Amino acid sequence: SVVEGDVEVVATLAAEVPASVAGAAATALKSSAWSALLETEKLPPIEVRAVGTYCGVGTIAGEGGCASCPANTYASVSWGRCIGCPNGATSAARSSSLDDCACEAGSGVACLPTLQPPATAEQNTTDVAVGDLSYTLNMTLTVPGTVAEVEELAERLVEAVAKFLGVNESMVGVVRVVEVGGEVRVFMTAEVPASVAEAAVAALKSSGWSAFVESEGLPPIEVVAVNTFCGAGTIAGDGGCESCPANTYASVSWGRCVDCPGGASSAARSSSLDDCACEAGSGVACLPTLQPPATAEQNTTDVAVGDLSYTLNMTLTVPGTVAEVEELAERLVEAVAKFLGVNESMVGVVRVVEVGGEVRVFMTAEVPASVAEAAVAALKSSGWSAFVESEGLPPIEVVAVNTFCGAGTIAGDGGCESCPANTYASV
């Protein structure tokens, strides 16, 4: 962060270093030596707020550092493994995307087909069924106009992308619309069969997309970025993303399908712990009902090393300005801790931002695995609204809540397990 007048500017940087000096580099950046170096370089005071290590694209975690993916494989996100290029396509070592997989000229290899968008939306009959190999496209588009004007276009954008890719509209969605650097960006996802994923990426980056947009009577829409990943409910397999079987789920890219805890059941391709439910009349001992304590002093629940846990990722909307909501941060932590019945040390505010004219608060809370499903359900229920009102807080809506394994833990059957001594998991 750099302070310019009364304004603090925060920048996020990445640097790749040899594994042998990674620990020393992180320590040095946090030391007084960094400040001394800046002074000798005649730079303004620059504070390193946080520094952590992870394995970048094209690499996977190995003993002692991040190892490059071998040729004809890739790792575009932290899947924990290098994925083989589909249909006999080839790629260089350390490839980072399905888009890096290409047919070798003259090799005779049967690679991916050319994408032919249907002429009309009625011809969009392609769907991705449970059991099919697929990929989810993550797209960033720039659209002229204000955020409000672009949000009104959302339905037409879904129709256009579905028509262009030749898939059902149910497979396409708008994640969010935000203003970045004076331009409006739209973040979208679309699930496509693995057999056309590479062709879909290429088509969205081609002049064919621009011509299609014009033919649909839409304003000029540029695809700034598009990549592939395995969406919720699926895991990476050779040649595409495989559905998680029944009674398991994958809410984030853990690289494995996690069993529903407590004997709960779920449909195949389930995407959240919240999808795990007790079967009526089965007699299965499932998860307990969450009973928040009456007072904050009763919040004695903690998550110790070795306990199975889940971290809740929460998005809340709070009335007021960013500055006003930031002043409420401490009370929000107290309220969430009290409602979930955990120590305040297990709850934190990640950031407060304005999105589309409303203030959103991103928070996390670590809870024992035994009450995680109940905690998710409670935060989505009318009980949360009543609790907030009883605490004298303004109306606070929980827009989204899901579960993941936080730093220092990995996904295990029935919850997130602590990393053993002399190991770590930063992402």
Side-chain angles (χ1 to χ4, degrees):
S1 69
V2 182
V3 177
E4 294 182 354
D6 295 329
V7 179
E8 182 181 43
V9 179
V10 179
T12 302
L13 299 170
E16 190 169 10
V17 298
S20 59
V21 299
T27 301
L29 285 165
K30 294 177 181 177
S31 73
S32 58
W34 167 252
S35 303
L37 173 74
L38 293 175
E39 191 173 346
T40 61
E41 294 291 315
K42 299 191 174 359
L43 288 167
I46 301 172
E47 180 187 356
V48 177
R49 287 286 182 84
V51 57
T53 56
Y54 68 101
C55 288
V57 292
T59 67
I60 56 169
E63 296 291 343
C66 304
S68 298
C69 286
N72 306 328
T73 70
Y74 69 97
S76 58
V77 288
S78 296
W79 284 338
R81 61 180 292 199
C82 301
I83 309 301
C85 288
N87 291 21
T90 59
S91 70
R94 209 181 184 90
S95 288
S96 60
S97 167
L98 174 66
D99 201 28
D100 295 328
C101 297
C103 295
E104 186 180 348
S107 69
V109 172
C111 285
L112 302 183
T114 302
L115 184 72
Q116 294 294 340
T120 66
E122 286 68 28
Q123 291 178 261
N124 293 351
T125 55
T126 302
D127 204 348
V128 179
V130 172
D132 290 349
L133 286 176
S134 67
Y135 279 106
T136 298
L137 306 184
N138 192 26
M139 299 167 285
T140 304
L141 299 79
T142 57
V143 186
T146 64
V147 169
E149 290 169 343
V150 174
E151 284 177 337
E152 288 183 2
L153 272 179
E155 191 172 335
R156 288 193 65 197
L157 284 174
V158 168
E159 292 172 355
V161 171
K163 182 177 177 180
F164 185 73
L165 297 177
V167 298
N168 291 335
E169 289 177 19
S170 62
M171 312 308 294
V172 181
V174 173
V175 179
R176 62 185 185 278
V177 180
V178 296
E179 185 177 340
V180 180
E183 66 182 7
V184 177
R185 295 199 172 186
V186 182
F187 298 90
M188 300 182 68
T189 60
E191 191 168 9
V192 298
S195 60
V196 299
E198 184 188 354
V201 170
L204 285 164
K205 292 178 177 178
S206 73
S207 58
W209 165 254
S210 303
F212 173 79
V213 166
E214 187 177 353
S215 70
E216 291 292 306
L218 289 165
I221 300 171
E222 180 187 358
V223 177
V224 179
V226 57
N227 54 52
T228 55
F229 70 102
C230 286
T234 67
I235 57 168
D238 288 335
C241 305
E242 302 170 352
S243 300
C244 286
N247 305 327
T248 69
Y249 69 97
S251 57
V252 287
S253 295
W254 284 338
R256 62 177 296 195
C257 302
V258 181
D259 287 343
C260 288
S265 59
S266 71
R269 212 182 184 90
S270 287
S271 60
S272 168
L273 174 66
D274 201 27
D275 294 328
C276 297
C278 295
E279 186 179 349
S282 67
V284 173
C286 286
L287 302 180
T289 302
L290 184 71
Q291 294 293 338
T295 66
E297 287 68 28
Q298 290 178 261
N299 293 351
T300 56
T301 302
D302 205 346
V303 179
V305 173
D307 290 349
L308 286 177
S309 68
Y310 280 105
T311 297
L312 306 184
N313 191 27
M314 300 167 284
T315 305
L316 299 79
T317 57
V318 186
T321 65
V322 169
E324 291 168 343
V325 174
E326 284 177 338
E327 288 183 2
L328 271 179
E330 192 173 334
R331 288 193 64 198
L332 284 173
V333 168
E334 292 173 356
V336 170
K338 181 177 177 181
F339 184 74
L340 297 177
V342 298
N343 291 337
E344 289 177 20
S345 62
M346 312 306 294
V347 181
V349 172
V350 179
R351 62 185 185 277
V352 180
V353 295
E354 185 177 340
V355 179
E358 66 182 7
V359 178
R360 294 199 173 186
V361 182
F362 298 90
M363 301 182 67
T364 59
E366 191 170 10
V367 299
S370 59
V371 299
E373 183 188 356
V376 170
L379 284 164
K380 292 178 177 178
S381 72
S382 58
W384 165 255
S385 303
F387 173 79
V388 166
E389 187 177 355
S390 70
E391 292 292 304
L393 289 165
I396 299 171
E397 180 187 358
V398 177
V399 179
V401 56
N402 53 53
T403 56
F404 70 103
C405 286
T409 67
I410 55 171
D413 290 336
C416 304
E417 302 170 352
S418 300
C419 285
N422 305 327
T423 70
Y424 69 98
S426 57
V427 288

